């Protein structure tokens, strides 16, 4: 890649206060996300568990 051909650009960043609020909101969501991922993992294992139980009889 030839860097001398790249165009200049600007990136607008949110204020520090906005970044802090977003960080706090994401921090609150992390436990919920982990719980949902764990529940999804359990659901994904259900077909295996059902088949296993069917052949144990």
């Amino acid at each position: 890649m030839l860097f001398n051909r790249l165009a200049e650009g600007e990136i607008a960043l949110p204020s520090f206060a906005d970044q802090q609020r977003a960080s706090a909101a994401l921090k609150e969501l992390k436990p919920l996300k982990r719980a949902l991922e764990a529940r999804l993992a359990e659901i994904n294992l259900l077909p295996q568990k059902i088949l296993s139980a069917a052949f144990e009889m």
Side-chain angles (χ1 to χ4, degrees):
M1 179 181 284
L2 299 173
F3 291 101
N4 60 352
R5 292 186 183 178
L6 294 177
E8 282 189 32
E10 291 184 21
I11 298 174
L13 295 176
S15 69
F16 186 67
D18 287 340
Q19 291 180 46
Q20 286 181 313
R21 281 193 296 276
S23 177
L26 289 172
K27 186 177 180 180
E28 288 181 26
L29 289 175
K30 279 187 179 184
L32 177 59
K33 181 182 176 191
R34 268 184 261 142
L36 288 172
E37 288 172 341
R39 189 68 169 183
L40 181 59
E42 290 175 19
I43 291 169
N44 286 333
L45 288 175
L46 282 176
Q48 279 179 272
K49 290 180 178 182
I50 292 169
L51 281 174
S52 177
F55 287 105
E56 285 180 2
M57 295 180 180

